[in-house]
Amino acid sequence: MKDKTILITGASSGIGWATAEAFSKQGARLILCGRRKEKLESLAHQLKTETLILTFDVRDRKAVFETLDKLPKDWVNIDVLINNAGNAHGLDPVQTANIEDWEAMIDGNVKGLMYVTKALLPGMIKSRKGHIINLGSIAGKEVYPNGSVYCSSKFAVDAFTQGLRIDLNKEGIKVGAIHPGLVQTEFSEVRFKGDRARAAKVYEGIQALSAQDVADAILYMAQTPDQVNVADLVLLPTRQANAYISNRES
Ligand code: 8X3
């Protein structure tokens, strides 16, 4: 990874943050993207390698294209794009769910990921190299109760990844996705709108994955030899069998 250029969306927390740390330890230069400038600055401050901070919201189509079309010259050749930005908002049945929550999930997890990808593809195609790693979820493989729209958004990430791999097959660009199960981050706190007690329950007695565990797997995906592409990686805590079955310590 030495001197490779890695762009990470959603780098200001959780998996994105841990991924930046993991790649930096391997000598990579990092483009850290997110909405929270101060967080990105404090991350950049800790990293030993060169960084570029880009503050924008992936949901803002104009901002995505304007920012990524004008990358500084030294940063235009991106080796790995890690489409990590995304969130869950709410855990409710369709009939009572909040439509704003739906918009936020579809706009960020699906459309945002597509915008960032589309904005960076011309550069990757021109240089005939690159690797796109999308953050899916076990929720993109199995639908669970009250998760219809979050799961839809992650099924879309899975479908988009497969389609992108087909479309880029002739371009020499690798495309893959990682689908984590329960990862202990701010994820549930955001989903439950700041209700920490409810968020903590999600991870009780399960030994959830850490952001670092996921980052290590992403690093593995990015480090395979040229002829190897990890197309689809489902990463679960050992105690989690699938989206619904977990062996929780009582
Ligand atoms: C995060 C995993 O199972 O909470 O995407 O949806 S889950």
Side-chain angles (χ1 to χ4, degrees):
M1 284 293 117
K2 178 123 183 52
D3 300 327
K4 296 248 190 232
T5 302
I6 317 296
L7 186 146
I8 306 174
T9 65
S12 53
S13 64
I15 294 171
W17 180 294
T19 302
E21 289 179 329
F23 278 75
S24 179
K25 277 191 195 136
Q26 300 301 317
R29 320 160 72 224
L30 292 153
I31 305 179
L32 305 171
C33 306
R35 287 173 295 169
R36 294 172 287 182
K37 191 157 185 242
E38 331 72 65
K39 293 258 183 186
L40 295 174
E41 281 170 351
S42 86
L43 170 60
H45 193 68
Q46 291 180 28
L47 302 177
K48 299 272 182 294
T49 50
E50 213 184 338
T51 55
L52 171 71
I53 290 176
L54 299 178
T55 313
F56 64 90
D57 186 336
V58 297
R59 293 175 291 186
D60 183 342
R61 174 173 159 184
K62 199 160 162 263
V64 169
F65 283 90
E66 274 180 9
T67 311
L68 298 178
D69 282 351
K70 281 195 306 234
L71 286 173
K73 233 162 97 215
D74 290 356
W75 293 92
V76 285
N77 287 319
I78 291 164
D79 296 285
V80 187
L81 159 62
I82 301 171
N83 271 318
N84 162 71
N87 270 319
H89 300 280
L91 185 66
D92 305 288
V94 173
Q95 55 274 34
T96 56
N98 178 321
I99 293 200
E100 265 70 51
D101 285 347
W102 290 0
E103 308 275 20
M105 291 187 280
I106 299 295
D107 288 352
N109 305 0
V110 184
K111 289 162 71 181
L113 180 146
M114 292 172 176
Y115 297 155
V116 172
T117 305
K118 188 144 174 73
L120 294 174
L121 274 183
M124 285 188 173
I125 290 173
K126 200 162 153 217
S127 59
R128 294 202 57 78
K129 67 162 181 141
H131 189 172
I132 299 169
I133 300 175
N134 292 333
L135 265 291
S137 169
I138 188 66
K141 298 288 184 186
E142 296 163 292
V143 180
Y144 52 77
N146 303 324
S148 57
V149 176
Y150 179 68
C151 293
S152 299
S153 76
K154 291 299 185 176
F155 270 69
V157 171
D158 195 13
F160 183 67
T161 305
Q162 293 182 43
L164 192 63
R165 191 163 50 246
I166 295 167
D167 294 347
L168 296 180
N169 184 244
K170 288 196 175 70
E171 307 290 350
I173 297 169
K174 291 190 193 186
V175 181
I178 179 164
H179 302 275
L182 287 165
V183 188
Q184 193 148 11
T185 59
E186 286 175 0
F187 176 86
S188 292
E189 219 176 299
V190 174
R191 167 172 260 177
F192 300 135
K193 305 179 195 310
D195 184 339
R196 289 191 177 188
R198 190 171 174 204
K201 281 217 160 22
V202 174
Y203 309 109
E204 247 170 42
I206 180 102
Q207 292 164 22
L209 299 171
S210 65
Q212 174 75 55
D213 294 328
V214 181
D216 288 346
I218 295 171
L219 186 62
Y220 161 70
M221 292 171 79
Q223 284 180 320
T224 55
D226 285 351
Q227 74 279 11
V228 178
N229 180 31
V230 181
D232 202 49
L233 197 165
V234 176
L235 195 75
L236 298 174
T238 305
R239 285 181 165 270
Q240 183 178 12
N242 63 16
Y244 345 88
I245 309 289
S246 293
N247 172 18
R248 291 189 191 257
E249 281 160 8
S250 42

